[in-house]
C-alpha cells in the first residue's frame, strides 16, 4: 500500500490546528465531502481475504482521471506526484486495468469508479465464471467430470474482481454533480497538457475505509472471541448471515421439530440475497428479485385455492440460507426433516425469459436412481402440461447437463430428492450483469411513462409485470398439481398482474409505497425508504436485513388471514384453541390503511403460516472456521467510511509553512521560558504597609 509522502502531512496537520480554533467551518472550506459513494469492503473465509481497505487514517493521492489504458504508464511509472488517486469511468473498470493498478500499488493511493446511469452494452460481472464452485454439489466425490464448470460455464462474462484482494481503497461514485466537481477540480489543477506535468496546487482525494479484520476467518474469529489471556473482547468481523423466510399452505407445528408422520412436502424455493463489487449497491433484479417476486405471486395465487381445495401434499416456500435449512432439517431443528420432502422446485433467474425462453434443469447424477428419475420426469411433464395454455416457451436442456448454481444443490448434497430448477437460460446465464451494480430495475426494462405520479407508477402494469405474471401462474399451477391437487381446479389458479406490478415497484423501485406501509407493523415503518432495499446478505442485526423482513411481511399478507381481534390478543397470542395456537401460526399487528376522510390508519391482526429463521452458516455453530462443507465467509468491521477532495500545496509552500511553524514554535518556547523565569517580577503584587487601616 502506498505511503503518504511528506507533502501530504502539512495540510492535514494545519487542518487539525485550524479546526481546534475555528470549528467545522474551516474544514468545510478546505474539504469537499463526496456523497453517494459506496466502498469496496473486506471479506474473509477459511483460507484468505478479499476486497479492499485503506490505511487507518485514510489514503490520500493526487487525482488522475484515467481516460484510456494508454494513460496507465503516467500513474504507474512516469507521473511526478505519486501516489495517485485514480478516477476511471465504468468502461475501464476491467480486470486488465484493475490488476495492473493492483500490481503497481506502491504508486496508487486508491481508485474511484464513476458509475453511469445506464448499463454498459457489453455486459459486466465481477463474479467468477463458475459461481459457488467450491460449495456446490459437483465435486471430486460427486461426479468430478462436472465439477468446476468443466462441462458448462454458467457465467462466461465473469471477471472475478469481486474475489480479488486489492492493496488500496476503492469507492464507487455516482455520475452526478459531485462527480462533476471532481472533474472540474482535475481539469483546473491536475490535467496533463502536452505531456507537461501540472504545477501546484494539485487536486487531491482522500478515501477512508480501514478494515479491522485481516488474514482469514479463522484469525478474525479467534480475535473476536478473545481468550483468557486477552484484555480485549472487541469484535473485528462478523459472520455473513440473514434470515430464511418460509411459509406453508397448511399450518405446521413449529414447536415440534423434526419428522412429521403422514406429511409430505413439496418445497418451492427462491433466492433472496445478492451481491455487487461495491458494498450497498446490489439490487439483483434479474439475479434474485425476479425469482422471489415470481414465487411470492405464485404463493398469492395458491392461497385461496388451497384453503378451499387443499392438495394432499403441502407446499413450502423458503428464501436463502439453504445450507442452514438443510442442516436444521438434518439435526431436527426445523418443523420438518428431509424425509418429509417429496420434491423441490426452485425459481432461479426468470426475468429475461422473453429473450431465451424458460428451461427446466435437473441433476443428471441423482437421476441415475430410477425412483428419482421417475419423479423428475413426472414433474417435468407437470410443468409442460400446465404451460400449454400459457404464453410461455418451456424447454429441457440436455439430460447430461449439470444443475446451474442453485440452493437445490445443497439439498442434493444431503440426499437424492427429485427436483427442478426453473430459469431463463439453457446453459450460460442470460443475465449479462450477474452480481453487479447494473443488475437493476432498468435492466429488467421496468420503465414507467414520464407523466405518471408515484402513486400511478405503483399500480402501473408494465410488460415485465405481465411476463412474470405468466411465469408465476405456471409455477402456481405446477405446484398445485405436483402436490396432488385436482386437475379441474388448475384453470382457476391465476397470478394477479397488479400484485406482480406492485411487488416489482416495491422491491426494485422504492419500498415506501401504500401497500408496504399498510402491511407492516407501525414500529417497523422505518424500514420503508424512497429507494429499493439492499439485497446484500449482510451480517446479523445490520440494515441489510430489511429485504428479508419485507419479504416476510409481504408473504404473510399474501397468504394470511385478517382477524377481528384486539391488539393485545394479537401481540400476546393467548389462544385456547389449538388451531389458533402460535405453535401452528404466526401473528402480527399491522398498520393498515387510512380510510377516506380519516386521519389515522385502521390497524388489524394478521394470522399466517409465515415464519423467519436464522440463515447463518452451520460452520459458525460448529465453530469449524476452516470448513470445506459450509460457508465460512465473514465481513470485516470498520469505523469510518468516507471520501473527500481538497487542494494540496506545492513542496516550496509546504516547506515555508513548515519553517514558519517551527519558528513560531521556537519563539513560543523562548517566550514561555522568559515569562516563566521572570514570573515573580511580572506577576507579584506590592506589599501593603502593616499599619494600613480601612
Amino acid at each position: 500500500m502506498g505511503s503518504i509522502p511528506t507533502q501530504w502531512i502539512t495540510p492535514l496537520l494545519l487542518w487539525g490546528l485550524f479546526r481546534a480554533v475555528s470549528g467545522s467551518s474551516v474544514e468545510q472550506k478546505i474539504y469537499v465531502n463526496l456523497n453517494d459513494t459506496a466502498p469496496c469492503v473486506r471479506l474473509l473465509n477459511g483460507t484468505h481475504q478479499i476486497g479492499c481497505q485503506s490505511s487507518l487514517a485514510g489514503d490520500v493521492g493526487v487525482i488522475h482521471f484515467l481516460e484510456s489504458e494508454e494513460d496507465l504508464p503516467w500513474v504507474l511509472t512516469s507521473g511526478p506526484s505519486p501516489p495517485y488517486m485514480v478516477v476511471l469511468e465504468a468502461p475501464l473498470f476491467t480486470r486488465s486495468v484493475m490488476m495492473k493498478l493492483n500490481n503497481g500499488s506502491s504508486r496508487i493511493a486508491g481508485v474511484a469508479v464513476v458509475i453511469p446511469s445506464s448499463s454498459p452494452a457489453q455486459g459486466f460481472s465481477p463474479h467468477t465464471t463458475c459461481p459457488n464452485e467450491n460449495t456446490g454439489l459437483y465435486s471430486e466425490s460427486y461426479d468430478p467430470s462436472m465439477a468446476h464448470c468443466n462441462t458448462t460455464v454458467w457465467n462466461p462474462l465473469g471477471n472475478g474482481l469481486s474475489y480479488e484482494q486489492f492493496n488500496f481503497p476503492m469507492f464507487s461514485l455516482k455520475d452526478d454533480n459531485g462527480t462533476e466537481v471532481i472533474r472540474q477540480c482535475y481539469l483546473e489543477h491536475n490535467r496533463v497538457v502536452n505531456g507537461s506535468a501540472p504545477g501546484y496546487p494539485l487536486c487531491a482525494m482522500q478515501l477512508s475505509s480501514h478494515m479491522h479484520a485481516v488474514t482469514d476467518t479463522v484469525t478474525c474469529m479467534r480475535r473476536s472471541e478473545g481468550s483468557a489471556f486477552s484484555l480485549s473482547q472487541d469484535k473485528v468481523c462478523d459472520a455473513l448471515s440473514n434470515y430464511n423466510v418460509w411459509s406453508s399452505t397448511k399450518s405446521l407445528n413449529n414447536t415440534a421439530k423434526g419428522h412429521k408422520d403422514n406429511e409430505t412436502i413439496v418445497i418451492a424455493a427462491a433466492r433472496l440475497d445478492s451481491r455487487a463489487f461495491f458494498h450497498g449497491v446490489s439490487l439483483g433484479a434479474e439475479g434474485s428479485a425476479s425469482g422471489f417476486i415470481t414465487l411470492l405471486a405464485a404463493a398469492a395465487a395458491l392461497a385461496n385455492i388451497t384453503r378451499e381445495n387443499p392438495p394432499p401434499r403441502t407446499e413450502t416456500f423458503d428464501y436463502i440460507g439453504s445450507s442452514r435449512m438443510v442442516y436444521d432439517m438434518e439435526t431436527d431443528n426445523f418443523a420438518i426433516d428431509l424425509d418429509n420432502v417429496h420434491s423441490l422446485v426452485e425459481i432461479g433467474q426468470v426475468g429475461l425469459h422473453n429473450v431465451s425462453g424458460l428451461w427446466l434443469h435437473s441433476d443428471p447424477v441423482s437421476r441415475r436412481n430410477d425412483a428419482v428419475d421417475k419423479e423428475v420426469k413426472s414433474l417435468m411433464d407437470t410443468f409442460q402440461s400446465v404451460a400449454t395454455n400459457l404464453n410461455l416457451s418451456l424447454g429441457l436442456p440436455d439430460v447430461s447437463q449439470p444443475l446451474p448454481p442453485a440452493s437445490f444443490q445443497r439439498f442434493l448434497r444431503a440426499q437424492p430428492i427429485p427436483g427442478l430448477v426453473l430459469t431463463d437460460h439453457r446453459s450460460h446465464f442470460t443475465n449479462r450483469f450477474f452480481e453487479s451494480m447494473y443488475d437493476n430495475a432498468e435492466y429488467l426494462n421496468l420503465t414507467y411513462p414520464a407523466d405518471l405520479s408515484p402513486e400511478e407508477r405503483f399500480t402501473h402494469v408494465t410488460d415485465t409485470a405481465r411476463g412474470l405474471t405468466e411465469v408465476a401462474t405456471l409455477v402456481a399451477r405446477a405446484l398445485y398439481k405436483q402436490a396432488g391437487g385436482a386437475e379441474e381446479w388448475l384453470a382457476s389458479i391465476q397470478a394477479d398482474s397488479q400484485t406482480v406490478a406492485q411487488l416489482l415497484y416495491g422491491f426494485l423501485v422504492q419500498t415506501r409505497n401504500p401497500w408496504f406501509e399498510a402491511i407492516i407493523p407501525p414500529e417497523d415503518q422505518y424500514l420503508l425508504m424512497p429507494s429499493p432495499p439492499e439485497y446484500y446478505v449482510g451480517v446479523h442485526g445490520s440494515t441489510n436485513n430489511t429485504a428479508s423482513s419485507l419479504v416476510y411481511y409481504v408473504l404473510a399478507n399474501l397468504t394470511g388471514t385478517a382477524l377481528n381481534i384486539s391488539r393485545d390478543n394479537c401481540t400476546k397470542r393467548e389462544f385456547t384453541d389449538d388451531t389458533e395456537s402460535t405453535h401452528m401460526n404466526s401473528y402480527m399487528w399491522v398498520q393498515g390503511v387510512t380510510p377516506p376522510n380519516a386521519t389515522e390508519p385502521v390497524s388489524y391482526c394478521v394470522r399466517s403460516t409465515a415464519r423467519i429463521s436464522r440463515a447463518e452458516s452451520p460452520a459458525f455453530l460448529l465453530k469449524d472456521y476452516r470448513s470445506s462443507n459450509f460457508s465460512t465467509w465473514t465481513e470485516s468491521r470498520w469505523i469510518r467510511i468516507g471520501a473527500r477532495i481538497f487542494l494540496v500545496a506545492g513542496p516550496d509552500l509546504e516547506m515555508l509553512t513548515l519553517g514558519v511553524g517551527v519558528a513560531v514554535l521556537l519563539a513560543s518556547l523562548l517566550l514561555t521560558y522568559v515569562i516563566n523565569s521572570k514570573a515573580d517580577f511580572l506577576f507579584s503584587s506590592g506589599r501593603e504597609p502593616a499599619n494600613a487601616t480601612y
Side-chain angles (χ1 to χ4, degrees), residues 554-571:
V554 170
L555 183 59
N557 177 263
L558 292 175
T559 62
T561 305
L563 300 180
N564 186 23
I565 60 175
S566 68
R567 180 169 187 171
D568 284 344
N569 282 338
C570 184
T571 55

Side-chain angles (χ1 to χ4, degrees), residues 343-582:
S343 51
L344 186 148
V345 175
E346 180 166 356
I347 317 303
Q349 303 178 67
V350 293
L352 301 175
H353 66 90
N354 60 320
V355 177
S356 56
L358 290 170
W359 298 87
L360 292 169
H361 300 265
S362 61
D363 169 44
V365 180
S366 61
R367 290 184 63 181
R368 295 169 189 167
N369 179 303
D370 291 340
V372 172
D373 183 59
K374 181 180 178 180
E375 288 293 343
V376 171
K377 288 180 178 178
S378 175
L379 185 53
M380 287 178 171
D381 291 341
T382 295
F383 266 91
Q384 289 179 316
S385 65
V386 299
T388 55
N389 297 322
L390 298 171
N391 185 28
L392 293 171
S393 169
L394 187 62
L396 302 177
D398 189 277
V399 70
S400 63
Q401 181 177 284
L403 278 172
S407 297
F408 183 30
Q409 293 194 20
R410 297 299 306 192
F411 285 84
L412 287 174
R413 285 183 61 161
Q415 68 182 51
I417 296 173
L420 296 173
V421 177
L422 180 68
T423 74
D424 58 14
H425 51 85
R426 180 176 184 174
S427 54
H428 62 79
F429 293 163
T430 307
N431 186 358
R432 293 181 293 112
F433 302 111
F434 182 68
E435 300 286 79
S436 83
M437 55 275 194
Y438 302 116
D439 189 3
N440 52 26
E442 179 190 356
Y443 186 44
L444 284 189
N445 196 29
L446 199 62
T447 56
Y448 301 90
D451 59 342
L452 294 184
S453 67
E455 292 76 15
E456 292 171 329
R457 291 184 180 186
F458 175 61
T459 57
H460 180 72
V461 180
T462 62
D463 290 340
T464 303
R466 292 188 187 93
L468 287 184
T469 300
E470 288 284 281
V471 183
T473 301
L474 169 72
V475 172
R477 292 179 181 179
L479 288 174
Y480 186 72
K481 187 174 181 180
Q482 177 67 6
E487 191 86 24
E488 60 267 22
W489 295 104
L490 289 179
S492 63
I493 300 175
Q494 177 65 51
D496 179 42
S497 59
Q498 186 75 73
T499 298
V500 175
Q502 293 175 351
L503 288 169
L504 286 168
Y505 187 90
F507 283 111
L508 293 177
V509 180
Q510 67 174 50
T511 58
R512 185 174 294 161
N513 59 72
W515 183 25
F516 283 15
E517 289 174 355
I519 65 174
I520 73 172
E523 63 271 17
D524 285 346
Q525 292 291 314
Y526 71 92
L527 295 173
L528 304 181
M529 299 289 177
S531 60
E534 163 65 25
Y535 295 103
Y536 171 64
V537 63
V539 298
H540 181 56
S542 73
T543 56
N544 300 105
N545 302 142
T546 297
S548 54
S549 298
L550 291 176
V551 168
Y552 169 63
Y553 294 135
V554 170
L555 183 59
N557 177 263
L558 292 175
T559 62
T561 305
L563 300 180
N564 186 23
I565 60 175
S566 68
R567 180 169 187 171
D568 284 344
N569 282 338
C570 184
T571 55
K572 290 180 181 177
R573 300 161 183 166
E574 295 177 351
F575 302 104
T576 57
D577 188 348
D578 285 342
T579 61
E580 297 288 339
S581 169
T582 56

